[in-house]
Amino acid sequence: MTFTDRLLLNTAPWLAARVIRWLHRRIKPASIGEEHLQALWDDGRHVIFCFWHDQLLMMAAGYSGPKANVMISASKDGELIARTMTYFNIGAIRGSSSRGGRAAFRTMIELGKERVDLVFTPDGPRGPRHKIKDGVVQLAKVTGRPIVPAAFACSNGHRFNSWDRFLLPYPWGKGVYSVGEPIYYVRGEQLEVFRNRVQVAMDDNVRQAAEYLTKHDLSAV
């Protein structure tokens, strides 16, 4: 590892965490549907928290649960994200569909027995954008945990020219976190049927976030 790499890994996550918190304070996002999640926490249950990869930046600041572990790719970029998450009391399980995925999935299954939430970006790390892949639905089937859709939308921001069109909100805009109803795997259900139900719920929740901004005379980026 070069000196530049070490410097980046030691400074960029700290700086990123400060920027995220600063943006969160400036935007002061509203929250809708959080009662679905709070009811599960109040009952002592934990969930599989699920949101699209492009909305990753602001999700850590919006998490108010007891403890979470997120699946993050084993790449250099993934290391930066994992280190940033530690500033929000969120742990990382390293792996993806292309590198270390099986070991990471086994770790997620073991964590499913503990009192922590599990976090997935089900279209990461390479897409297709906003399409559910196998990992999250298989995890829900094995652990019996519900998948809880989450979304972040804002009225002003920049979309990067990446596969996921990663979102950087501007500090003078308005934002909203949206949480959908929990989705449970039904015993005997075909995995493709379950995947489709999760896909529809995720899409509906993104639309709900955008509609909230529309009702307040704003448009989602």
Side-chain angles (χ1 to χ4, degrees), residues 59-94:
M59 281 299 181
Y63 178 75
S64 58
K67 176 69 177 177
N69 282 271
V70 58
M71 175 83 83
I72 298 174
S73 71
S75 63
K76 184 184 293 186
D77 288 347
E79 180 65 21
L80 290 172
I81 296 170
R83 294 190 181 204
T84 301
M85 291 300 100
T86 62
Y87 289 94
F88 297 92
N89 195 32
I90 297 174
I93 300 99
R94 306 302 303 281

Side-chain angles (χ1 to χ4, degrees), residues 125-139:
R126 298 180 180 177
R129 183 177 187 265
H130 289 194
K131 296 296 181 185
I132 296 286
K133 292 193 284 191
D134 287 342
V136 69
V137 292
Q138 289 178 343
L139 186 65

Side-chain angles (χ1 to χ4, degrees), residues 16-213:
R18 289 181 65 89
V19 169
I20 291 168
R21 288 197 172 100
W22 181 77
L23 284 172
H24 191 266
R25 288 194 298 269
R26 291 298 300 269
I27 297 170
K28 297 180 181 178
S31 294
I32 54 176
E34 69 273 19
E35 67 274 6
H36 303 306
L37 196 52
Q38 193 61 53
L40 292 165
W41 287 336
D42 289 345
D43 197 36
R45 290 185 286 171
H46 297 274
V47 305
I48 301 171
F49 208 56
C50 195
F51 54 87
W52 299 126
H53 196 273
D54 62 302
Q55 300 162 19
L56 176 63
L57 185 68
M58 297 304 296
M59 281 299 181
Y63 178 75
S64 58
K67 176 69 177 177
N69 282 271
V70 58
M71 175 83 83
I72 298 174
S73 71
S75 63
K76 184 184 293 186
D77 288 347
E79 180 65 21
L80 290 172
I81 296 170
R83 294 190 181 204
T84 301
M85 291 300 100
T86 62
Y87 289 94
F88 297 92
N89 195 32
I90 297 174
I93 300 99
R94 306 302 303 281
S96 67
S97 56
S98 59
R99 185 179 175 187
R102 290 185 179 180
F105 187 75
R106 289 194 294 269
T107 300
M108 292 289 261
I109 291 174
E110 289 302 310
L111 284 171
K113 302 172 185 177
E114 300 182 15
R115 298 177 63 84
V116 296
D117 292 322
L118 306 177
V119 182
F120 253 87
T121 54
D123 57 343
R126 298 180 180 177
R129 183 177 187 265
H130 289 194
K131 296 296 181 185
I132 296 286
K133 292 193 284 191
D134 287 342
V136 69
V137 292
Q138 289 178 343
L139 186 65
K141 178 181 178 180
V142 172
T143 63
R145 287 188 173 201
I147 294 173
V148 174
F152 173 80
C154 64
S155 60
N156 288 287
H158 174 72
R159 288 283 185 181
F160 287 90
N161 189 27
S162 55
W163 69 265
D164 62 348
R165 298 184 62 227
F166 193 83
L167 174 62
L168 173 65
Y170 293 151
W172 52 82
K174 299 295 182 181
V176 59
Y177 292 105
S178 178
V179 179
E181 295 185 14
I183 313 154
Y184 291 87
Y185 173 77
V186 178
R187 182 176 295 182
E189 183 178 22
Q190 292 184 0
L191 204 62
E192 187 62 27
V193 173
F194 181 44
R195 188 209 316 272
N196 288 338
R197 288 203 292 120
V198 176
Q199 181 75 53
V200 170
M202 291 286 289
D203 293 342
D204 285 348
N205 193 51
V206 170
R207 189 159 42 248
Q208 178 174 265
E211 288 174 353
Y212 175 90
L213 293 178

